[in-house]
Amino acid sequence: MATTYDFPSDLLAGQEELHQVRAELSALLKRLPWSVRPVDGFSDDNGWRKVERPASPGWTADEQAEVEKLRRREHELAVFVTTHRYWSELTGRDRVVARSHLKHAHEPAPDHDQR
């Protein structure tokens, strides 16, 4: 049977918020133009593969601020989760396995009774 871990509630909450912030940042970056600053489009087929980009209007000041805010929060949460006092209770492989379990703690448990 797999080991279960009794993660503290603040660690679970921090990991869950980290997942949410990363998803929000990823979705935002996918919506934004490819270049932060306005730049002309280009096409280059001199490399090992052709690269094309349309002209980019750049990001607005609000968009830049939102990305910066999310990146800053992502960093704060990553530091909080990785330096949490809980990890001092574990060593070696146990710490690595527990960290992996924490990353997936928000996912529903698999249903092993399917037939």
Side-chain angles (χ1 to χ4, degrees):
M1 179 160 186
T3 303
T4 58
Y5 297 92
D6 188 22
F7 297 115
S9 61
D10 64 332
L11 181 56
L12 286 167
Q15 180 66 54
E16 179 60 27
E17 186 179 350
L18 180 57
H19 283 304
Q20 291 170 356
V21 167
R22 285 182 172 161
E24 190 176 337
L25 178 58
S26 177
L28 175 60
L29 291 172
K30 286 178 183 175
R31 287 192 312 270
L32 292 176
W34 65 271
S35 176
V36 176
R37 299 202 176 15
V39 79
D40 293 334
F42 67 89
S43 178
D44 181 5
D45 58 1
N46 293 326
W48 63 276
R49 65 181 174 98
K50 186 174 184 174
V51 177
E52 292 183 310
R53 296 269 191 220
S56 172
W59 298 358
T60 66
D62 287 345
E63 290 168 336
Q64 289 181 43
E66 183 65 16
V67 168
E68 179 60 30
K69 181 181 99 174
L70 289 170
R71 285 183 173 156
R72 189 177 13 242
R73 186 63 182 150
E74 177 187 29
H75 181 261
E76 291 168 357
L77 289 164
V79 168
F80 171 77
V81 169
T82 58
T83 62
H84 194 279
R85 66 191 175 282
Y86 176 78
W87 303 119
S88 65
E89 300 172 12
L90 303 168
T91 59
R93 185 179 187 285
D94 292 337
R95 187 180 297 168
V96 173
V97 172
R99 178 71 182 110
S100 181
H101 281 257
L102 177 66
K103 288 179 182 182
H104 300 284
H106 68 286
E107 298 171 1
D111 185 6
H112 294 292
D113 197 31
Q114 295 177 352
R115 293 186 184 150

